[in-house]
Amino acid sequence: MSTTTCQVVGFLLSVLGLAGCIAATGMDTWSTQDLYDNPVTSVFQYEGLWQSCVRQSSGFTECRPYFTILGLPAMLQAVRALMVVGIVLGAIGLLVSIFALKCIRIGNMEDSAKANMTLTSGIMFIISGICAIAGVSVFANMLVTNFWMSTANMYTGMGGMVQTVQTRYTFGSALFVGWVAGGLTLIGGVMMCVACRGLAPEETNYKTVSYHASGHNVAYKPGGFKASTGFGSNTKNKKIYDGGARTEDEFGY
């Protein structure tokens, strides 16, 4: 898979995951009433992060927001915080990733800058996906704990006879949307980080250049220079080059 394809696919998966996280956070079906022991009922209850709703058999639905913050369970407030943080990080990562796309040119932006922006957005998407998955998992664990506690309280007395009737809640559709959305965001962030390696410019090795003097008595080499002293035999001065030695007679002097 090419770098551009990996980056674009990661970007699209992250956008879908972020949209799913926003949808899951606003849904009211995080927990729904369990109808296993009471399949026929005129009232159906379900709850979300921000309000609880009651739907009657006539089709009329009434929702009531949570008007308190301190009165809510600590786990519910933690789930709220995780989902909001995940959405904020995902939105920031989305803005950064738009400018980091290789197919979009803005001014004279270098590839190294795009690589850094791609890595930054990928890390933000990964953290956003982890926050979404963690928030949904914490809420699901809370539902499982309350479900079995309610079941244990329902069957009391001798012979396992039902003495009390309590409303039990099970997984709602928002949980599955949140899990899938968090996974997509996480995978998209990983692909963005992988694409960052292909966008980073490769290191260039510069070779040394040797300079040759135009004088008659001095010749330069990469390892140093050699100068004629003018003393000794009556032979003519020679120039020394990399490819060998050439006398001045060859150049017509």
Side-chain angles (χ1 to χ4, degrees), residues 48-250:
L49 296 179
W50 314 101
Q51 61 184 2
S52 61
C53 300
V54 176
R55 184 177 63 199
Q56 300 179 2
S57 58
S58 60
F60 178 75
T61 302
E62 181 181 1
C63 296
R64 181 181 180 183
Y66 302 136
F67 295 105
T68 180
I69 296 179
L70 299 178
L72 296 175
M75 299 298 290
L76 181 59
Q77 297 184 22
V79 173
R80 279 182 172 184
L82 286 172
M83 297 303 294
V84 171
V85 170
I87 292 174
V88 172
L89 289 177
I92 297 175
L94 178 61
L95 294 176
V96 175
S97 62
I98 291 176
F99 297 100
L101 291 176
K102 192 175 182 179
C103 57
I104 297 178
R105 283 290 179 182
I106 301 177
N108 296 325
M109 184 178 296
E110 299 179 354
D111 291 338
S112 59
K114 283 185 173 290
N116 294 332
M117 294 174 68
T118 302
L119 179 61
T120 303
S121 61
I123 294 175
M124 287 186 176
F125 284 138
I126 291 175
I127 299 177
S128 175
I130 292 176
C131 288
I133 295 175
V136 175
S137 300
V138 168
F139 193 92
N141 179 71
M142 184 174 59
L143 281 180
V144 172
T145 303
N146 293 336
F147 181 88
W148 291 114
M149 290 181 62
S150 300
T151 302
N153 293 332
M154 287 175 60
Y155 294 93
T156 57
M158 297 180 59
M161 297 181 62
V162 178
Q163 300 293 331
T164 59
V165 178
Q166 296 182 2
T167 302
R168 297 182 303 180
Y169 292 92
T170 185
F171 292 172
S173 58
L175 294 181
F176 302 100
V177 173
W179 272 319
V180 174
L184 290 177
T185 308
L186 181 61
I187 295 174
V190 172
M191 295 187 69
M192 294 287 285
C193 292
V194 172
C196 167
R197 300 182 59 184
L199 292 174
E202 298 180 357
E203 296 182 358
T204 304
N205 295 325
Y206 297 95
K207 297 182 179 180
T208 58
V209 180
S210 59
Y211 296 93
H212 304 282
S214 59
H216 298 288
N217 297 329
V218 179
Y220 291 94
K221 279 187 175 181
F225 65 91
K226 180 177 181 180
S228 59
T229 60
F231 300 98
S233 63
N234 295 327
T235 58
K236 296 181 179 180
N237 296 330
K238 296 181 180 180
K239 289 185 179 179
I240 302 175
Y241 296 91
D242 292 336
R246 298 181 184 179
T247 61
E248 294 178 352
D249 295 336
E250 296 177 7

